[in-house]
Coordinates of all heavy atoms in Angstrom, one line a residue:
N9 N -8.2 8.0 3.5 CA -9.1 6.9 3.7 C -10.6 7.5 4.0 O -11.6 7.1 3.6 CB -8.7 6.0 4.8 CG -7.6 5.1 4.4 OD1 -7.4 4.7 3.2 ND2 -6.7 4.8 5.3
Y17 N -19.1 5.9 -0.7 CA -20.4 5.7 -0.2 C -21.4 6.8 -0.5 O -22.5 6.9 0.2 CB -20.4 5.4 1.3 CG -19.7 4.0 1.6 CD1 -18.4 4.0 2.1 CD2 -20.3 2.8 1.2 CE1 -17.8 2.9 2.3 CE2 -19.6 1.6 1.4 CZ -18.4 1.6 2.0 OH -17.6 0.5 2.2
P48 N -9.4 18.5 -11.9 CA -9.7 19.6 -12.8 C -8.9 20.8 -12.5 O -8.6 21.2 -11.3 CB -11.2 19.8 -12.4 CG -11.3 19.3 -11.0 CD -10.4 18.2 -10.9
Q50 N -8.3 24.8 -13.1 CA -9.0 26.0 -13.5 C -8.0 27.0 -14.0 O -6.9 27.0 -13.5 CB -9.7 26.6 -12.3 CG -10.9 25.7 -11.8 CD -11.6 26.4 -10.7 OE1 -11.0 27.3 -9.9 NE2 -12.8 26.1 -10.5
K51 N -8.5 27.9 -14.9 CA -7.6 29.0 -15.3 C -7.5 29.9 -14.2 O -8.3 30.0 -13.4 CB -8.3 29.6 -16.6 CG -8.4 28.7 -17.8 CD -9.0 29.5 -18.9 CE -9.2 28.6 -20.1 NZ -10.0 29.2 -21.2
T74 N -40.9 59.5 -7.0 CA -39.7 59.7 -6.4 C -39.1 61.0 -7.0 O -38.6 61.9 -6.4 CB -38.7 58.6 -6.6 OG1 -39.3 57.4 -6.1 CG2 -37.4 58.9 -5.9
G80 N -40.0 68.7 -5.7 CA -40.7 69.5 -4.7 C -39.9 69.9 -3.5 O -39.9 71.0 -3.0

Side-chain angles (χ1 to χ4, degrees):
N9 289 328
Y17 294 107
Q50 293 182 335
K51 295 178 183 175
T74 307

